[in-house]
Amino acid sequence: MRELPSSGLQLDRLVEMLAGSAGKAWSQAELARSMKLSPAELPEVLARFRAEGWPLEMGPDQRVRLAASADIPVASRVRPHLATKRLGRRLHHTLKVDSTNDTARRLAEAGAAEGTVVVAEEQIGGRGRLGRTWLSRRGKDILLSLVLRPQVDPAQAPGLNLVVGLAASQAIGEVAGIPTDLKWPNDVLTPGGKCCGVLTEMNADPGKIRFVIVGVGINVNGTALPNAIAGQASTLEQAAGGPVPRPQLAAALLNRLEALYLVFLDRGLQPLLQRWVASSSSVRGRPILVKNPGRSLRGTTAGLSEQGALRIRREDGIVEEIMAGDVVRW
């Protein structure tokens, strides 16, 4: 038997076909032809798929399909809900990656167009701000990274954290029907805790952005969270009282983000700040402690600057602005 192509690529192709066919039961001959495998090679791919724990069903006639409960944001399920012109029109879905941001960065370095999206079911090397690990649950969450190529000064790029957080908040409200609260600079909260985080990573030459990778992680379905974050995080299903469809949520995120991103490109961050502030309960009048290397800043939040920096009124009455830092207490 010839050597099979990469098992990861084979499984990605299999889930794209099964998840994108609206519950169709495929004959094994159809699957083998579509995947360019011999009939003798397909059972090995199906066995690997089952061994990974994905919900595969096989009827008495040996026809194959995904379980009805499968909720997988492959391109063919996301695309019908997209209203964008740029974002998400090229969508790469994969079962497992080290990091969706790293995968999107490699695509950007190879010339991927603005709006290219990477979505994964499992991320084994995910990260958040300040080098923290982003913990996720296979097949339950939105793990999405996006290539942007904004033609703006690199000094404006940090404002994208606020733009993306606002888009995520709006998308969650639209699809899950639950209220959210924005926490500077990049978190979205439900009443039960953090449900979404944003990580933007810029690649730039002097005076010019080459690309920005926007990573979004959303805890979507299920009620069990990793022990390390169980006391601080929440899922949308917990807040909504039932499962939330991930393909629709991914599309809503891209729809909302494109609309806000176009405003950002045309008019800067300023027109969006009022919306962001209106969606945050902590950006004004909240006691806060921020740690940066070698220094801590304690005071009360006093809104945002025109560049999206957090304004903090110190205990001596002086107002400082910070663009980054580890907020250890609100």
Side-chain angles (χ1 to χ4, degrees):
M1 181 184 293
R2 66 183 173 90
E3 183 179 353
L4 285 173
S6 163
S7 62
L9 292 176
Q10 287 290 345
L11 296 185
D12 289 344
R13 174 61 179 150
L14 178 61
V15 78
E16 176 71 39
M17 293 174 62
L18 295 177
S21 59
K24 172 184 174 181
W26 293 71
S27 74
Q28 294 195 38
E30 288 177 308
L31 280 178
R33 281 196 303 271
S34 297
M35 297 179 69
K36 297 182 172 57
L37 298 173
S38 74
E41 291 168 331
L42 180 65
E44 182 181 338
V45 175
L46 296 179
R48 284 201 301 263
F49 192 74
R50 277 180 157 164
E52 291 281 342
W54 297 103
L56 189 68
E57 293 181 343
M58 187 177 298
D61 57 359
Q62 298 301 296
R63 296 178 75 87
V64 178
R65 66 180 168 193
L66 282 180
S69 60
D71 176 54
I72 301 179
V74 296
S76 53
R77 283 194 174 180
V78 173
R79 197 171 290 124
H81 306 285
L82 276 181
T84 61
K85 292 184 178 179
R86 301 189 193 185
L87 307 190
R89 291 298 162 180
R90 295 175 179 85
L91 190 151
H92 303 269
H93 178 275
T94 183
L95 288 176
K96 182 187 294 187
V97 292
D98 287 338
S99 159
T100 57
N101 264 31
D102 288 346
T103 302
R105 187 193 69 246
R106 289 191 289 270
L107 291 173
E109 289 171 342
E114 180 171 69
T116 298
V117 171
V118 174
V119 181
E121 296 298 304
E122 182 177 7
Q123 191 172 235
I124 58 177
R127 60 185 181 276
R129 290 180 66 245
L130 306 174
R132 295 189 177 101
T133 298
W134 179 264
L135 299 177
S136 58
R137 301 153 310 137
R138 186 175 69 166
K140 299 287 188 183
D141 299 330
I142 293 287
L143 305 170
L144 181 151
S145 292
L146 171 70
V147 177
L148 295 180
R149 298 185 184 274
Q151 300 300 302
V152 300
D153 189 279
Q156 293 180 260
L160 283 169
N161 268 320
L162 302 180
V163 175
V164 179
L166 181 58
S169 173
Q170 292 176 349
I172 290 167
E174 174 189 335
V175 177
I178 56 177
T180 57
D181 190 11
L182 291 172
K183 177 182 170 184
W184 187 92
N186 68 335
D187 291 346
V188 184
L189 315 178
T190 71
K194 178 176 175 178
C195 67
C196 172
V198 175
L199 176 67
T200 59
E201 298 177 311
M202 178 174 66
N203 185 298
D205 297 321
K208 182 180 180 180
I209 295 174
R210 294 183 61 227
F211 58 82
V212 176
I213 303 301
V214 173
V216 182
I218 307 176
N219 304 327
V220 184
N221 288 320
T223 56
L225 288 163
N227 289 336
I229 60 172
Q232 307 147 22
S234 65
T235 72
L236 302 188
E237 181 173 349
Q238 287 174 321
V244 175
R246 290 191 298 148
Q248 288 93 319
L249 181 59
L253 171 64
L254 296 170
N255 292 339
R256 296 285 187 157
L257 178 54
E258 180 166 288
L260 298 177
Y261 178 60
L262 292 176
V263 173
F264 174 79
L265 293 180
D266 185 48
R267 300 166 58 196
L269 185 61
Q270 182 61 31
L272 304 175
L273 287 178
Q274 186 174 353
R275 292 188 232 177
W276 197 97
V277 170
S279 301
S280 174
S281 68
S282 58
V283 75
R284 292 186 187 277
R286 183 72 64 86
I288 189 172
L289 172 63
V290 180
K291 289 188 175 181
N292 280 308
R295 182 171 184 253
S296 295
L297 177 60
R298 189 188 307 271
T300 304
T301 56
L304 300 179
S305 74
E306 292 185 358
Q307 292 74 40
L310 181 65
R311 305 177 78 237
I312 299 176
R313 188 177 303 279
R314 299 184 336 203
E315 294 172 337
D316 60 6
I318 294 174
V319 175
E320 287 196 30
E321 296 180 357
I322 60 169
M323 285 300 295
D326 187 8
V327 180
V328 296
R329 191 174 74 233
W330 287 91

